[in-house]
Coordinates of all heavy atoms in Angstrom, one line a residue:
D1 N 8.0 5.2 -1.4 CA 8.0 5.1 -2.8 C 6.7 4.7 -3.3 O 6.4 3.5 -3.5 CB 9.1 4.1 -3.3 CG 9.3 4.2 -4.8 OD1 8.4 4.7 -5.5 OD2 10.4 3.7 -5.3
I2 N 5.7 5.6 -3.3 CA 4.3 5.3 -3.5 C 4.1 4.7 -4.9 O 3.3 3.7 -5.1 CB 3.4 6.5 -3.3 CG1 2.0 6.2 -3.4 CG2 3.8 7.6 -4.3 CD1 1.5 5.3 -2.3
I3 N 4.8 5.1 -5.9 CA 4.6 4.5 -7.3 C 5.0 3.1 -7.3 O 4.3 2.2 -7.8 CB 5.3 5.4 -8.4 CG1 4.5 6.7 -8.5 CG2 5.3 4.6 -9.7 CD1 5.1 7.6 -9.6
E4 N 6.2 2.8 -6.7 CA 6.7 1.4 -6.7 C 5.7 0.5 -5.9 O 5.5 -0.6 -6.2 CB 8.1 1.4 -6.1 CG 8.8 0.1 -6.2 CD 9.0 -0.4 -7.7 OE1 9.1 0.5 -8.6 OE2 9.1 -1.6 -7.9
L5 N 5.2 1.1 -4.8 CA 4.3 0.3 -4.0 C 3.0 -0.1 -4.8 O 2.6 -1.2 -4.7 CB 3.9 1.2 -2.7 CG 3.0 0.5 -1.7 CD1 3.4 1.1 -0.3 CD2 1.5 0.8 -2.0
L6 N 2.5 0.9 -5.5 CA 1.3 0.6 -6.3 C 1.6 -0.4 -7.4 O 0.7 -1.2 -7.7 CB 0.7 1.9 -6.8 CG 0.1 2.8 -5.8 CD1 -0.3 4.2 -6.4 CD2 -1.2 2.2 -5.2
K7 N 2.7 -0.3 -8.0 CA 3.1 -1.2 -9.0 C 3.1 -2.6 -8.5 O 2.7 -3.6 -9.1 CB 4.5 -0.9 -9.6 CG 4.5 0.3 -10.6 CD 6.0 0.5 -11.1 CE 6.1 1.7 -12.0 NZ 7.5 1.9 -12.4
N8 N 3.7 -2.8 -7.3 CA 3.8 -4.1 -6.7 C 2.4 -4.7 -6.4 O 2.1 -5.9 -6.5 CB 4.5 -4.1 -5.3 CG 6.0 -3.9 -5.6 OD1 6.5 -4.3 -6.6 ND2 6.7 -3.4 -4.6
I9 N 1.4 -3.8 -6.0 CA 0.1 -4.2 -5.8 C -0.6 -4.6 -7.1 O -1.3 -5.6 -7.2 CB -0.7 -3.1 -5.0 CG1 -0.2 -2.9 -3.6 CG2 -2.2 -3.5 -5.0 CD1 -0.7 -1.7 -2.9
F10 N -0.5 -3.7 -8.1 CA -1.2 -3.9 -9.3 C -0.6 -5.0 -10.2 O -1.3 -5.9 -10.7 CB -1.3 -2.6 -10.1 CG -2.1 -1.6 -9.5 CD1 -1.9 -0.2 -9.8 CD2 -3.0 -1.8 -8.5 CE1 -2.6 0.8 -9.2 CE2 -3.7 -0.8 -7.8 CZ -3.5 0.5 -8.2
V11 N 0.7 -5.0 -10.4 CA 1.4 -5.9 -11.3 C 1.7 -7.3 -10.6 O 1.3 -8.3 -11.2 CB 2.6 -5.3 -11.9 CG1 3.3 -6.3 -12.8 CG2 2.3 -4.0 -12.6
K12 N 2.3 -7.2 -9.5 CA 2.7 -8.5 -8.8 C 1.6 -9.0 -7.9 O 1.7 -10.1 -7.4 CB 4.0 -8.2 -8.0 CG 5.2 -7.8 -8.8 CD 6.4 -7.6 -8.0 CE 7.6 -7.1 -8.8 NZ 8.8 -6.8 -7.9
Q13 N 0.6 -8.2 -7.7 CA -0.5 -8.5 -6.7 C 0.1 -8.8 -5.4 O -0.3 -9.8 -4.7 CB -1.4 -9.6 -7.2 CG -2.1 -9.2 -8.5 CD -3.2 -10.2 -9.0 OE1 -3.8 -10.8 -8.2 NE2 -3.3 -10.4 -10.3
D14 N 1.1 -8.0 -5.0 CA 1.8 -8.2 -3.7 C 1.1 -7.3 -2.7 O 1.4 -6.1 -2.5 CB 3.2 -7.7 -3.9 CG 4.0 -7.7 -2.5 OD1 3.5 -8.3 -1.6 OD2 5.1 -7.2 -2.5
Y15 N 0.1 -7.9 -2.0 CA -0.7 -7.1 -1.0 C 0.0 -6.9 0.3 O -0.5 -6.1 1.2 CB -2.0 -7.8 -0.8 CG -2.8 -8.0 -2.1 CD1 -3.2 -9.2 -2.6 CD2 -3.1 -6.9 -2.9 CE1 -3.9 -9.3 -3.8 CE2 -3.7 -7.0 -4.1 CZ -4.1 -8.2 -4.5 OH -4.8 -8.3 -5.7
E16 N 1.2 -7.5 0.5 CA 2.0 -7.2 1.7 C 2.5 -5.7 1.6 O 2.7 -5.1 2.6 CB 3.2 -8.1 1.8 CG 2.8 -9.5 2.2 CD 4.0 -10.4 2.5 OE1 5.2 -9.8 2.5 OE2 3.9 -11.6 2.7
A17 N 2.6 -5.3 0.3 CA 3.0 -3.9 0.2 C 2.0 -2.9 0.7 O 2.3 -1.8 1.3 CB 3.2 -3.6 -1.3
L18 N 0.7 -3.3 0.6 CA -0.4 -2.5 1.2 C -0.3 -2.5 2.7 O -0.5 -1.4 3.4 CB -1.7 -3.1 0.8 CG -3.0 -2.2 0.9 CD1 -2.7 -0.9 0.1 CD2 -4.2 -2.9 0.4
G19 N 0.2 -3.6 3.3 CA 0.4 -3.6 4.8 C 1.5 -2.7 5.1 O 1.5 -2.0 6.2
D20 N 2.6 -2.6 4.3 CA 3.7 -1.7 4.6 C 3.2 -0.2 4.6 O 3.7 0.6 5.3 CB 4.8 -1.9 3.5 CG 5.5 -3.2 3.7 OD1 5.4 -3.8 4.8 OD2 6.1 -3.7 2.7
F21 N 2.3 0.0 3.6 CA 1.7 1.4 3.5 C 1.0 1.7 4.9 O 1.2 2.8 5.4 CB 0.8 1.5 2.4 CG -0.1 2.7 2.3 CD1 0.4 3.9 1.7 CD2 -1.3 2.8 2.9 CE1 -0.3 5.0 1.6 CE2 -2.1 3.9 2.9 CZ -1.6 5.1 2.2
H22 N 0.2 0.8 5.4 CA -0.5 1.1 6.6 C 0.4 1.3 7.8 O 0.1 2.0 8.7 CB -1.5 0.0 6.8 CG -2.7 0.0 5.9 ND1 -3.7 1.0 6.1 CD2 -3.1 -0.7 4.9 CE1 -4.7 0.8 5.2 NE2 -4.3 -0.2 4.4
M23 N 1.5 0.6 7.8 CA 2.4 0.7 8.9 C 3.1 2.0 9.0 O 3.5 2.5 10.1 CB 3.5 -0.4 8.8 CG 3.0 -1.8 9.0 SD 2.4 -2.2 10.7 CE 4.0 -2.3 11.5
N24 N 3.2 2.7 7.9 CA 3.8 4.0 7.9 C 2.9 5.2 7.9 O 3.3 6.4 7.9 CB 4.7 4.1 6.6 CG 6.0 3.3 6.7 OD1 6.7 3.4 7.7 ND2 6.1 2.3 5.8
A25 N 1.6 4.9 7.8 CA 0.6 6.0 7.8 C -0.3 5.9 9.0 O -0.5 4.9 9.6 CB -0.3 5.8 6.5
L26 N -0.9 7.1 9.3 CA -1.9 7.2 10.3 C -3.3 7.5 9.6 O -3.4 8.4 8.9 CB -1.6 8.3 11.3 CG -2.6 8.5 12.4 CD1 -2.5 7.4 13.5 CD2 -2.5 9.9 13.1
L27 N -4.2 6.6 9.9 CA -5.6 6.8 9.4 C -6.3 7.7 10.3 O -6.4 7.4 11.5 CB -6.3 5.5 9.2 CG -7.8 5.6 8.8 CD1 -8.0 6.2 7.5 CD2 -8.5 4.2 8.9
V28 N -6.8 8.8 9.9 CA -7.6 9.8 10.7 C -9.0 9.7 10.1 O -9.2 10.1 8.9 CB -7.0 11.2 10.6 CG1 -7.9 12.1 11.5 CG2 -5.6 11.2 11.2
S29 N -9.9 9.3 10.9 CA -11.3 9.1 10.4 C -12.3 9.5 11.4 O -12.0 9.8 12.5 CB -11.5 7.6 10.0 OG -11.3 6.8 11.1
C30 N -13.6 9.6 10.9 CA -14.7 10.0 11.7 C -15.9 9.1 11.3 O -16.2 9.1 10.1 CB -15.0 11.5 11.6 SG -16.5 12.0 12.5
M31 N -16.5 8.5 12.2 CA -17.6 7.6 11.9 C -18.8 8.1 12.8 O -18.7 8.1 14.0 CB -17.3 6.2 12.2 CG -18.3 5.2 11.8 SD -17.8 3.5 12.3 CE -16.2 3.4 11.4

């Protein structure tokens, strides 16, 4: 629920929600 997640970050400043996002996503990057 990406909208609810962003609401928690912006309104409640709940940065644990950001951690939940990372746990469900794979970062694919190139440096």
Side-chain angles (χ1 to χ4, degrees):
D1 189 342
I2 186 67
I3 291 181
E4 189 63 27
L5 183 148
L6 289 170
K7 283 181 182 178
N8 286 335
I9 293 171
F10 296 159
V11 179
K12 299 179 183 178
Q13 296 188 36
D14 176 11
Y15 301 122
E16 287 187 10
L18 201 55
D20 293 339
F21 170 86
H22 285 287
M23 291 294 286
N24 289 302
L26 180 74
L27 174 63
V28 180
S29 59
C30 177
M31 191 180 301

